[in-house]
Amino acid sequence: MAADTVFGSSHVLDSSSSTSSHPLSPGAGVVPAIENVVSTVNLGCTLDLKAIALHAPNAEYNPKRLAAVMIRIKEPKTTALIFSSGKMVCTGAKSEQQSRLAARKHARIIQKLGFDVKFNGFKIQNIVAAYDFTFPINLIRLANSHFKFSVYEPELFPGLIYRMKQSKIMVQVFSSGKIAIAGAQKRDEILKAFENIYPILMSFRADK
Amino acid sequence: MADLFCPECKKFTEVVFDHSAGDTICSECGLVLEAHSVDETSEWRTFSNESADNDPVRVGGPYNPLLSSGGLSTVISKPNGGSSEFLSSSLGKWQGRGSNPDRNLIQAFKAIATMSERLGLVTTIKDRANEIYKKIEDQKLLRGRNQDAIMAACLYIACRQENKPRTVKEICSIVHGTSKREIGRAKEFIVKHLELEMGQSMEIGTIHAGDYMRRFCSNLGMANQEVKAAQEAVQKSEELDIRRSPISIAAAIIYIISQLSDDKKPLKDISVVTRVAEGTIKNSFKDLSPHLSGLIPAWYATEEDIKNLQP
């Protein structure tokens, strides 16, 4: 069954890759593009959110909805949620280094407002990547044969949610052939998940 | 009228039995020999042709394994006459105070029963839903959630497990406290926890348009020919690559078949019965258009009928 060959097949199949444009394992350079990196950092001091909201440029503060200030910067194009405890969440960056840079820039904004800011415990929490297979995929057959890993509820969400057994990575597969890989904390987790899912999705192509 | 020994007369005397007071009285001196005799004859008469629902011999509901002690325990209810005697009202209060561990369950079962009544579901499905609810209730994780959503989700899962799925929108219309989103989230929650608890026995397969076809057609009052044609069309549509929810495809096929027949159901009616938006049915129809000749069985409509179909 395809399910049993998921973990460990890609190396075996490498040797039998054909000359077609879609061999059973991703060729060199075929990697999903990272779309979003979410990271957290502790600024190490309590903050006055009202003061930040009044003085910082591009700041949103709506205490009834969320107990945090939202600050957006243009380069790298990111949004940071800053909490009164001093903890900050930075979202929207396109790579891990950019996320770190953006977090530092946000911290600099807070520092300029006069707070004693540190940069403790920067950690990447989530990396989201996307890839387009360009061929339609038959989600119903995929859900039926990989029922242990997939959840497909067309009434609730048009994409099939594939959760790998060994890792906590989640892959959303859409019938257009586009996929989104999320839940990784490191780039190679994404690559490994991609290598695992590549042959599976190849076998469920819907076009001739 | 038996002879008993009367201690006053010191001999066996004739004895009169007073039925109204239940006393056995010595006929010579009038001493009451035995009082409070219990009448063991039948309290009511049962005839063989009387309805079986109202059998006075039977009390209470059937044995329910989901409730603790089978639901057969005795409960003291309020007296009917409205007598505010100290004893009966206090007893009722003491009984009501927290001695019943099943109260939540019983309430929830009642609510699920009402819901399944509104949908016209079989008792099997209702019992399944009760079972599922009990399993979740055991884990005490659903305290914060919307109770209506949890019960609706139990019903939804039960219908799916019995291969008689109901769309989330149908269940949504029956239960007034929830939205489609909440029922969906509750369903995910329940499935996840049941899988954790029971292993892999929670295999509810994906939905297919064919499961709903029969019901939608019958609700719309379509003729037998049309229903058959619709079911065949749905079978064939499963092989095609159409990126629409199976419910929308079912609605679109019903629309096509209905337009091809003599009795054309208006789009509005189909939209109401299937709970699919009119725009969605139109778009699904456009998606299906290139494949129409393959979908519709030849005995039902000719090529030119299909060509004459307006989008």
Side-chain angles (χ1 to χ4, degrees), chain B residues 199-215:
Chain B
Q200 293 307 96
S201 48
M202 269 300 275
E203 280 162 31
I204 27 178
T206 42
I207 55 177
H208 302 284
D211 299 334
Y212 302 91
M213 210 38 126
R214 199 83 187 67
R215 205 154 26 91

Side-chain angles (χ1 to χ4, degrees), chain A residues 17 30 43-45 55 60 128 141-142 150 183:
Chain A
S17 62
V30 173
L43 299 177
C45 63
H55 299 294
E60 267 175 53
V128 179
R141 280 203 311 143
L142 172 56
S150 2

